[in-house]
């Protein structure tokens, strides 16, 4: 017998992507990779983290670090995060903060909390692939959000959702240095998202994974801050802010958070109890110590290093890419998004590029909920040293010219 006949319908949308298969080839040392969207491990604050584990385990906190923990998360860490949110003009306290195992878990929980099968989630085309994977398990339909302009009318979104037998439940977006495009929404565009969400009476999921990594230009207030200014209190807001320590301190420790109205936090706490009880206590205690002591310095260090790599990549694209190829110029984050001439296929290009140019990137179409975007690709610059840009980009460009 095959157990695969017994699977729930939701599992039909859980598929290994062809890209993952291709990216497995990238361990070979001669490949120059712009594919992995990961922080540079040589920049992790390893010493501070090692010391914090030693202090926590060697002192009075050892018991708490190794014990079960409340599902909402370690209180001093939640207070520290609430303080950080305050600096972003989001007045809140620990009751508004919920600790997750990375912000990826927050996306899963929010999908689980809001989406019944057939409901509609509004997402940008393209959007973060991990969000689509998290939401897919709850069997939604996607409709296209165009925060840069060109949204449908609220009635049209509503009618399309109803025709599918569900309701529009939330708009999900990455407003700062998005994965995969690197684009940032300005204040007017963020206000327009809130206007649309108000008219549709839906939630806004603000994925702020890259927010701290701004290399130039002025910061834009979080959508949650604009929402709080409109409604007077976070507990009346419709925006659910997903934050993460992954890009600044360590993705391996798996600590993220949701900042949200307390009635939503209370539901998330019940979900966490049923799921994994709580995120690892020891990692939360250590993250708190490390965040208190090195967070700001670490942000400065990463900004210096990644800005230089972004500039190196943008300069190499400018110098080498043939006419007809365009790309984003991100003010922060980790990604540059390139668009090839209409009719090109970046998945095919990747296969050729790995074989002939020994250069890797992520084809863009996996980031599109409707499977389009075949002529787009994502380049990550966090690991792009001088050799990568001075050799890799000319090789990719030469392949494109052919
Ligand atoms: C936009 C975005 N959101 C969320 C995540 C998940 O990050 P983590 O679960 O490590 O916080 C990522 C990771 O790449 C991301 O790019």
């Amino acid at each position: 017998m095959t157990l695969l006949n017994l699977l729930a319908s939701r599992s039909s949308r859980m598929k290994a992507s062809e890209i993952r298969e291709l990216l497995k080839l990238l361990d070979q040392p001669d490949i120059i990779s712009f594919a992995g969207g990961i922080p540079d491990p040589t920049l992790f604050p390893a010493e501070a983290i090692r010391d914090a584990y030693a202090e926590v385990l060697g002192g009075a906190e050892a018991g708490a670090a190794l014990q079960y923990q409340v599902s909402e998360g370690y209180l001093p860490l939640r207070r520290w995060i609430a303080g950080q949110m305050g600096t972003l003009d989001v007045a809140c306290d620990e009751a508004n903060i919920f600790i997750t195992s990375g912000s990826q878990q927050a996306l899963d929980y929010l999908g689980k909390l809001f989406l019944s099968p057939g409901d509609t989630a509004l997402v940008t085309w393209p959007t973060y692939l991990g969000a689509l994977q998290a939401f897919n398990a709850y069997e939604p339909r996607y409709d296209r959000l165009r925060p840069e302009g060109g949204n449908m009318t609220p009635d049209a979104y509503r009618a399309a959702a109803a025709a599918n037998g569900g309701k529009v439940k939330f708009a999900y977006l990455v407003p700062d240095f998005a994965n995969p495009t690197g684009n940032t929404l300005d204040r007017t565009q963020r206000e327009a998202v809130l206007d649309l969400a108000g008219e549709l009476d839906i939630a806004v999921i603000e994925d702020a994974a890259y927010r701290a990594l701004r290399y130039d230009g002025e910061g834009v207030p979080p959508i949650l801050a604009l929402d709080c200014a409109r409604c007077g209190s976070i507990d009346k807001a419709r925006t659910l802010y997903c934050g993460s320590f992954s890009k600044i301190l360590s993705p391996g420790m798996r600590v993220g958070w949701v900042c949200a109205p307390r009635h939503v936090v209370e539901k998330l706490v019940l979900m966490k109890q049923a799921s994994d009880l709580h995120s690892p206590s020891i990692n939360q205690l250590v993250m708190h110590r490390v965040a208190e002591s090195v967070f700001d310095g670490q942000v400065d260090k990463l900004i210096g290093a990644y800005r230089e790599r972004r500039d190196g990549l943008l300069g190499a694209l400018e110098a080498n890419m043939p006419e007809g190829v365009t790309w984003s110029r991100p003010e922060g984050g980790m990604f540059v998004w390139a668009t090839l001439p209409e009719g090109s296929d970046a998945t095919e290009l990747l296969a050729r590029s790995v074989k002939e140019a020994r250069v890797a990137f992520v084809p863009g179409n996996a980031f599109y909920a409707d499977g389009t975007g075949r002529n787009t690709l994502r380049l990550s610059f966090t690991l792009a040293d001088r050799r990568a840009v001075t050799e890799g980009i000319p090789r990719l460009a030469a392949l494109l010219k052919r």
Side-chain angles (χ1 to χ4, degrees):
M1 93 166 273
T2 166
L3 295 179
L4 296 180
N5 294 333
L6 303 174
L7 301 186
S9 60
R10 74 180 77 90
S11 68
S12 68
R13 289 170 70 169
M14 299 173 189
K15 290 197 189 97
S17 73
E18 52 182 320
I19 296 169
R20 283 226 169 271
E21 296 308 307
L22 268 174
L23 296 183
K24 278 186 196 153
L25 306 172
L26 302 186
D27 286 343
Q28 300 155 21
D30 64 323
I31 295 247
I32 295 179
S33 178
F34 298 95
I38 55 173
D40 180 347
T42 67
L43 300 173
F44 289 145
E47 212 173 302
I49 292 174
R50 185 197 60 203
D51 292 350
Y53 273 105
E55 284 159 22
V56 163
L57 287 175
E61 290 177 308
L66 298 174
Q67 187 54 281
Y68 285 116
Q69 172 68 241
V70 290
S71 297
E72 39 274 74
Y74 179 55
L75 183 59
L77 178 63
R78 285 161 53 223
R79 288 198 174 130
W80 186 88
I81 293 167
Q84 289 289 112
M85 296 304 301
T87 67
L88 300 173
D89 286 334
V90 176
C92 63
D93 63 28
E94 64 267 17
N96 301 109
I97 308 292
F98 169 69
I99 303 292
T100 55
S101 296
S103 54
Q104 187 65 32
Q105 187 175 55
L107 299 178
D108 176 38
Y109 284 5
L110 292 172
K112 195 188 256 186
L113 191 57
F114 286 99
L115 296 171
S116 299
D119 276 341
T120 292
L122 305 185
V123 297
T124 55
W125 263 218
T127 190
Y128 169 50
L129 172 60
L132 295 177
Q133 288 171 328
F135 302 151
N136 279 348
Y138 306 106
E139 304 176 82
R141 142 185 193 276
Y142 296 104
D143 212 336
R144 184 170 189 178
L145 184 69
R146 295 175 188 255
E148 283 96 1
N151 278 328
M152 300 200 305
T153 63
D155 279 344
Y157 280 122
R158 229 181 262 121
N164 196 61
K167 291 184 178 155
V168 187
K169 290 296 181 65
F170 59 70
Y172 164 82
L173 65 175
V174 190
D176 303 284
F177 329 120
N179 184 0
T181 62
N183 292 341
T184 296
L185 298 184
D186 66 23
R187 190 182 177 123
T188 311
Q189 291 163 338
R190 292 175 197 223
E191 295 281 11
V193 169
L194 282 174
D195 291 341
L196 176 68
E199 288 176 84
L200 284 169
D201 202 14
I202 57 172
V204 175
I205 300 179
E206 176 173 28
D207 183 337
Y210 299 93
R211 176 158 182 107
L213 293 177
R214 173 173 282 281
Y215 313 139
D216 38 45
E218 279 288 299
V220 190
I223 297 175
L224 177 56
L226 300 173
D227 194 358
C228 290
R230 285 181 181 207
C231 64
S233 155
I234 187 170
D235 289 323
K236 294 190 198 141
R238 63 176 69 252
T239 306
L240 316 166
Y241 180 104
C242 302
S244 177
F245 288 107
S246 291
K247 314 298 175 186
I248 306 299
L249 296 176
S250 157
M253 289 172 69
R254 309 304 302 133
V255 185
W257 69 90
V258 179
C259 179
R262 69 185 67 202
H263 58 268
V264 174
V265 168
E266 285 161 10
K267 282 286 184 197
L268 291 170
V269 168
L270 296 177
M271 203 166 266
K272 191 136 177 92
Q273 276 170 7
S275 164
D276 62 354
L277 294 180
H278 59 81
S279 295
S281 310
I282 187 163
N283 291 357
Q284 296 188 60
L285 269 72
V286 167
M287 197 58 97
H288 173 241
R289 271 180 181 254
V290 175
E292 270 197 326
S293 60
V294 306
F295 190 85
D296 292 342
Q298 182 67 14
V299 168
D300 291 345
K301 177 168 136 187
L302 295 178
I303 286 176
Y306 292 158
R307 180 197 283 133
E308 198 179 316
R309 292 174 202 179
R310 176 206 57 179
D311 291 346
L313 175 58
L314 289 177
L317 290 170
E318 197 66 58
N320 293 283
M321 278 295 154
E323 212 169 302
V325 180
T326 58
W327 56 90
S328 62
R329 287 163 181 78
E331 292 184 327
M334 299 187 170
F335 308 109
V336 169
W337 181 247
T339 306
L340 308 175
E342 207 55 55
S344 312
D345 185 329
T347 306
E348 255 173 53
L349 179 71
L350 175 63
R352 275 205 298 140
S353 176
V354 168
K355 202 159 148 231
E356 297 170 33
R358 309 301 280 160
V359 173
F361 52 81
V362 180
N365 102 294
F367 299 96
Y368 284 76
D370 67 346
T372 59
R374 295 205 76 87
N375 62 328
T376 58
L377 58 96
R378 191 190 75 179
L379 299 165
S380 166
F381 52 79
T382 50
L383 301 175
D385 58 13
R386 272 199 66 73
R387 181 182 154 256
V389 295
T390 55
E391 290 182 28
I393 295 300
R395 272 168 19 199
L396 180 61
L399 187 69
L400 277 166
K401 284 173 193 158
R402 270 189 263 143

